[in-house]
Amino acid sequence: MSPRTAPRLIDFLGAFATGGLLTLMVWFNGTLAVTGSLYFASFVPHLTGSVVAIVVLLALRPTKATTVRAPWWAYLGGVSGALTVMVTSATMNTALAISGTIALGLAGQMLFSLAADKWGVMGLPQRDPTPRDMAALGLILAGSLILIFFGGR
Amino acid sequence: MLGWAVLAVIGGVLVSLSRQINGRLSLSTSALHSSYWNHVVGLVFITVVGLAVGGLWTGEPFAAPWWAYLGGPVGFVFIAASSWAITRIGAARTALLIIAGQMISGVVLDIALGTAGNPWARVGGVALILAGMIVARTPPPRGAAATLDNPPQHK
């Protein structure tokens, strides 16, 4: 209910498991892109995801946290997500290739999310990154870059 | 070249921006609602762009194996879980843990599918990521100022 609950182990494990879902999505959607267009590879998961979303909302009828209406821009996360597909599809076909696109994408994610925490942008809780966060960031990014650039062969 | 590199960084910024926006919507509604809106609005957007630019149906769109069409249900859970996490552990740690989960499960999938790879890089990369996760998972010090890690009792 309240966003201001202390982080628990389950929160960390949940976020980690969520990253595993991303691997499945990349695998499934990437397979679509082998025979279909990149638009199609983004269109299909949005379509089937919308169908599942409608079924889940009708079945579970989750309660809303507040009766106060969210700002209009809070409904536009899907646009940003769809734009991501177009941007990465373009850079993947340059000298950056997939590895460079992913590596620079990680940098973009960390830059934005650190700033977002620092200033609590868009109404999410403000949180100052700690030295331990930065150490974790260094270790995880180093491990990721090794996998991206040297894990292939 | 530099332009493409900047664009690739922007691609990552868009990922986090989307997560931030969906997280904000989930604060007013629920994580499931935020995933619903993400998919419906994204579907309308990608359809309009795909039809305007053209090329939505090029190639052989229905030649893929059946399971390749299941990315949507996975994506629905993914967005809901992302909204759930970002409001609880913050944007940076959510991004880091999702990256960690993606990287490690990617290695597992590669091994399961028999994809060739450098075993030393795989072991070293996974070990560094696991070490980073252990470092990230530490409780706040006693008496620390009220933060997201150490929430006030009211408000």
Side-chain angles (χ1 to χ4, degrees):
Chain A
M1 181 68 198
S2 164
R4 290 184 176 274
T5 47
R8 292 162 303 181
L9 185 60
I10 186 71
D11 297 329
F12 282 71
L13 292 179
F16 178 69
T18 302
L21 296 180
L22 199 49
T23 293
L24 288 180
M25 290 158 66
V26 171
W27 183 25
F28 294 170
N29 301 344
T31 303
L32 287 180
V34 171
T35 51
S37 70
L38 284 166
Y39 287 125
F40 185 75
S42 180
F43 171 81
V44 167
H46 277 95
L47 177 65
T48 54
S50 295
V51 171
V52 169
I54 290 168
V55 170
V56 168
L57 286 193
L58 287 176
L60 299 182
R61 298 198 173 274
T63 53
K64 292 187 178 180
T66 165
T67 52
V68 181
R69 203 174 160 75
W72 62 270
W73 49 260
Y75 293 87
L76 298 183
V79 173
S80 182
L83 280 174
T84 307
V85 178
M86 296 178 197
V87 167
T88 52
S89 310
T91 58
M92 253 165 46
N93 293 310
T94 67
L96 293 174
I98 291 181
S99 53
T101 298
I102 296 175
L104 291 169
L106 296 188
Q109 285 188 55
M110 291 323 302
L111 284 174
F112 181 89
S113 58
L114 283 171
D117 278 350
K118 175 86 186 147
W119 291 296
V121 308
M122 295 177 161
L124 290 195
Q126 190 275 338
R127 177 178 180 276
D128 281 322
T130 64
R132 275 187 176 272
D133 290 335
M134 301 312 289
L137 186 150
L139 286 166
I140 292 175
L141 287 192
S144 300
L145 293 178
I146 286 175
L147 288 175
I148 292 167
F149 289 107
F150 303 108
R153 236 173 337 106
Chain B
M1 187 59 211
L2 182 64
W4 290 116
V6 170
L7 194 60
V9 172
I10 291 174
V13 169
L14 288 170
V15 170
S16 291
L17 176 65
S18 175
R19 200 174 288 149
Q20 196 83 6
I21 295 173
N22 286 325
R24 173 62 188 83
L25 181 58
S26 79
L27 282 185
S28 292
T29 57
S30 74
L32 294 175
H33 281 98
S34 81
S35 188
Y36 163 80
W37 282 106
N38 177 84
H39 280 84
V40 171
V41 172
L43 176 64
V44 171
F45 182 79
I46 200 82
T47 304
V48 169
V49 172
L51 292 177
V53 178
L56 184 59
W57 304 107
T58 56
E60 290 185 78
F62 298 106
W66 63 270
W67 49 263
Y69 297 85
L70 298 181
V74 181
F76 173 73
V77 178
F78 175 78
I79 299 293
S82 300
S83 293
W84 174 80
I86 197 171
T87 54
R88 282 167 176 76
I89 60 175
R93 288 190 299 194
T94 298
L96 268 185
L97 286 163
I98 289 179
I99 289 166
Q102 184 186 9
M103 288 294 156
I104 291 181
S105 60
V107 170
V108 172
L109 181 67
D110 277 344
I111 291 172
L113 294 177
T115 309
N118 181 330
W120 294 110
R122 282 175 172 172
V123 169
V126 169
L128 281 171
I129 291 171
L130 289 176
M133 290 174 60
I134 292 168
V135 169
R137 170 60 192 157
T138 48
R142 283 183 183 280
T147 63
L148 186 60
D149 290 344
N150 192 21
Q153 296 304 308
H154 52 85
K155 179 161 182 190

